[in-house]
Amino acid sequence: MTLGVSGVLSRVAELQDQLGLNPAPAAQAVAGSGGKFASALADATRSGSPGSGVTGPSGDDVVAAAKKYLGTPYVFGGTDPDKGLDCSALIQRAYQDLGVELPRNSWQQARAGRPVSSLAEAKPGDILAFNSPVDHVGIYLGDNRMIAAPKPGDHVKIQNVYEKPTAIRRVLENTSPAVLQDMSSLRPAGLRSTGGLNGVPYADLFVKAGERYDVSPKLLAAVAKVESGYNPKAVSKAGAQGLMQLMPGTARGLGVADAFDPAQAVNGAAKLLAQHLKEFKSVPLALAAYNAGGGAVHKYDGIPPFTETQAYVPKVQKALAALGG
């Protein structure tokens, strides 16, 4: 007998009940479309039995999703990351990116999932709620650190857990051993040919350097697009040179003898981006460091408040998205 979609969903629900995997209503993805159906099916099979080999989103995935919004301005009531987010919108967005629906308000999120008794028992991805009534939430990273959208005039950033949470909630039980880095989806695997960069100038150089330094070729291409418009002879007012707009001192430090040589420039830029990605574990912060320097990112604990850098990061992200990155 062939089951229709409704029949399969009914069977999914039965499996959830039998395995005791039904999540709290507030955190359950509704299977009303193809994507949400896949999420519901994943919920039903999510590591319910030892050795099943089937896993769904983990708390570490939540951390990785949230880190993609580092540097986003705080805007009260904001839900659009292009314009700004508030604390609960950040949490809702991070989980939503993984196919998990959460309520909009912080006090509602403080009831999602199941309670965790103390910060000592908290795991990456858990929701930390503050004050009574709850008026602020963040996502726990581990080691007494969290990512949050703190207040007006600030931005999404990583900070210490500054006071004892009034509630800790675990929405996802499946937590892998190590926190995923939010640039994992930009690894060169699957991009070892110019197929993903058809028609892009110097595509072969981006692919070759990306493989050498473990950086996405599409990310390198996006940086070149914004930096020079793929012009290997470009020179900025500040003196940055070539395809990747390397300053002479920076180029020397990267072993680039001629920044106007496309192959040398791309290799140098890939090396520099790899260093920043490893240091900041965030694509937006790595891009900010490429533009303004790593010291400035550390100083401001996020994307520096420089007009050029604030505009630069979203420009590269937009160029990356246009390339399918």
Side-chain angles (χ1 to χ4, degrees), residues 239-314:
Q241 301 174 341
L243 182 67
M244 307 306 289
Q245 288 293 277
L246 299 174
M247 294 296 289
T250 302
R252 286 193 297 271
L254 294 169
V256 176
D258 182 4
F260 293 107
D261 177 75
Q264 291 188 51
V266 173
N267 269 318
K271 183 178 181 179
L272 183 59
L273 276 170
Q275 293 171 357
H276 290 324
L277 287 167
K278 182 177 181 180
E279 181 177 3
F280 297 107
K281 298 179 175 60
S282 161
V283 171
L285 294 185
L287 292 173
Y290 189 95
N291 178 263
V297 175
H298 281 297
K299 178 180 179 181
Y300 293 100
D301 193 23
I303 298 176
F306 309 146
T307 301
E308 178 186 336
T309 307
Q310 290 280 332
Y312 176 81
V313 173

Side-chain angles (χ1 to χ4, degrees), residues 68-94:
K68 293 178 182 178
Y69 300 106
L70 283 169
T72 301
Y74 177 98
V75 173
F76 180 75
T79 58
D80 183 350
D82 290 335
K83 298 177 181 178
L85 301 171
D86 62 17
C87 64
S88 56
L90 169 65
I91 276 69
Q92 185 184 49
R93 188 87 186 192

Side-chain angles (χ1 to χ4, degrees), residues 159-177:
Q159 57 184 159
N160 289 326
V161 180
Y162 51 84
E163 64 181 53
K164 182 180 178 180
T166 52
I168 304 173
R169 308 293 295 193
R170 182 163 301 153
V171 175
L172 300 176
E173 295 292 342
N174 178 33
T175 306
S176 55

Side-chain angles (χ1 to χ4, degrees), residues 8-316:
V8 174
L9 290 176
S10 177
R11 182 55 180 155
V12 167
E14 290 177 11
L15 286 171
Q16 288 176 318
D17 287 335
Q18 292 169 10
L19 296 174
L21 295 177
N22 273 326
Q28 187 171 0
V30 180
S33 64
K36 292 183 178 180
F37 166 72
S39 177
L41 185 60
D43 284 341
T45 56
R46 178 179 301 145
S47 59
S49 57
S52 65
V54 181
T55 59
S58 71
D60 295 335
D61 294 328
V62 175
V63 170
K67 282 185 175 180
K68 293 178 182 178
Y69 300 106
L70 283 169
T72 301
Y74 177 98
V75 173
F76 180 75
T79 58
D80 183 350
D82 290 335
K83 298 177 181 178
L85 301 171
D86 62 17
C87 64
S88 56
L90 169 65
I91 276 69
Q92 185 184 49
R93 188 87 186 192
Y95 276 90
Q96 193 175 63
D97 287 350
L98 301 175
V100 179
E101 298 293 338
L102 285 183
R104 171 67 179 90
N105 297 323
S106 57
W107 62 269
Q108 294 171 316
Q109 293 173 1
R111 298 178 181 177
R114 71 169 180 84
V116 175
S117 59
S118 67
L119 198 60
E121 301 297 322
K123 294 182 179 181
D126 288 351
I127 297 174
L128 305 184
F130 298 91
N131 305 319
S132 183
V134 172
D135 60 10
H136 185 56
V137 284
I139 294 176
Y140 191 56
L141 302 182
D143 298 325
N144 202 49
R145 303 275 281 174
M146 67 178 182
I147 181 169
K151 61 184 184 299
D154 213 330
H155 55 269
V156 176
K157 65 183 182 182
I158 294 172
Q159 57 184 159
N160 289 326
V161 180
Y162 51 84
E163 64 181 53
K164 182 180 178 180
T166 52
I168 304 173
R169 308 293 295 193
R170 182 163 301 153
V171 175
L172 300 176
E173 295 292 342
N174 178 33
T175 306
S176 55
V179 175
L180 299 177
Q181 297 178 351
D182 68 349
M183 67 277 192
S184 59
S185 63
L186 297 176
R187 296 298 187 193
L191 293 174
R192 301 186 184 280
S193 70
T194 58
L197 292 173
N198 285 338
V200 175
Y202 307 104
D204 57 333
L205 297 182
F206 298 135
V207 171
K208 190 176 296 184
E211 290 180 340
R212 180 177 181 182
Y213 292 103
D214 197 22
V215 176
S216 164
K218 291 184 178 181
L219 181 60
L220 291 171
V223 169
K225 170 68 174 177
V226 173
E227 289 285 358
S228 69
Y230 301 122
N231 179 5
K233 298 181 180 180
V235 179
S236 75
K237 294 180 179 179
Q241 301 174 341
L243 182 67
M244 307 306 289
Q245 288 293 277
L246 299 174
M247 294 296 289
T250 302
R252 286 193 297 271
L254 294 169
V256 176
D258 182 4
F260 293 107
D261 177 75
Q264 291 188 51
V266 173
N267 269 318
K271 183 178 181 179
L272 183 59
L273 276 170
Q275 293 171 357
H276 290 324
L277 287 167
K278 182 177 181 180
E279 181 177 3
F280 297 107
K281 298 179 175 60
S282 161
V283 171
L285 294 185
L287 292 173
Y290 189 95
N291 178 263
V297 175
H298 281 297
K299 178 180 179 181
Y300 293 100
D301 193 23
I303 298 176
F306 309 146
T307 301
E308 178 186 336
T309 307
Q310 290 280 332
Y312 176 81
V313 173
K315 281 182 182 178
V316 177

